[in-house]
């Protein structure tokens, strides 16, 4: 399942399917890749990329209740896809980051 998460919630072992923002901001050669090391994770989290779409069928999935301040995927409909028919969304869930 593809899930949109803030880059602060990304962990080693997650597969990044795509990144939001300009490709100029992308610190990697590809737009989809596995976060395989602490170096990869640091490069992503220190970039200007705010959100990524992860694919939990190709890597570690998002864990509800992690220490990253992200809410429950079930409550994600309050995000940018609220009120949209599910078929119109390009990914299954959006995880919102709380302050």
């Amino acid at each position: 399942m593809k899930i949109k998460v803030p880059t602060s919630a990304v962990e080693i072992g997650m597969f990044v399917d795509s990144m939001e923002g300009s490709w100029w901001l992308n610190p990697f050669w590809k737009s989809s890749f596995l976060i395989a090391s602490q170096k990869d994770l640091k490069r992503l989290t220190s970039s200007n990329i705010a959100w990524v779409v992860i694919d939990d069928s190709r890597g570690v999935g998002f864990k509800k209740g992690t220490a990253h301040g992200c809410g429950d995927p079930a409550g994600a409909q309050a995000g940018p896809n609220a009120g949209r028919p599910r078929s119109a969304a390009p990914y299954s869930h959006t995880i919102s980051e709380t302050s």
Side-chain angles (χ1 to χ4, degrees):
M1 172 171 41
K2 293 182 181 179
I3 305 169
K4 181 179 174 182
V5 298
T7 55
S8 62
V10 175
E11 299 175 2
I12 294 172
M14 288 184 170
F15 186 85
V16 175
D17 185 70
S18 63
M19 292 181 268
E20 288 202 349
S22 169
W23 67 271
W24 287 98
L25 300 176
N26 182 348
F28 298 92
W29 288 98
K30 301 177 183 179
S31 62
S32 60
F33 54 91
L34 180 69
I35 299 291
S37 67
Q38 187 66 36
K39 181 180 175 182
D40 292 342
L41 183 60
K42 178 73 173 164
R43 196 164 29 159
L44 178 63
T45 57
S46 64
S47 73
N48 289 326
I49 303 291
W51 294 88
V52 298
V53 176
I54 63 165
D55 186 345
D56 65 3
S57 69
R58 298 178 72 184
V60 174
F62 177 78
K63 296 174 194 75
K64 182 171 95 173
T66 62
H68 298 290
C70 293
D72 181 350
Q77 289 304 313
N81 292 327
R84 270 181 151 176
R86 184 168 285 283
S87 62
Y91 28 75
S92 301
H93 291 87
T94 301
I95 308 302
S96 60
E97 186 170 32
T98 57
S99 315

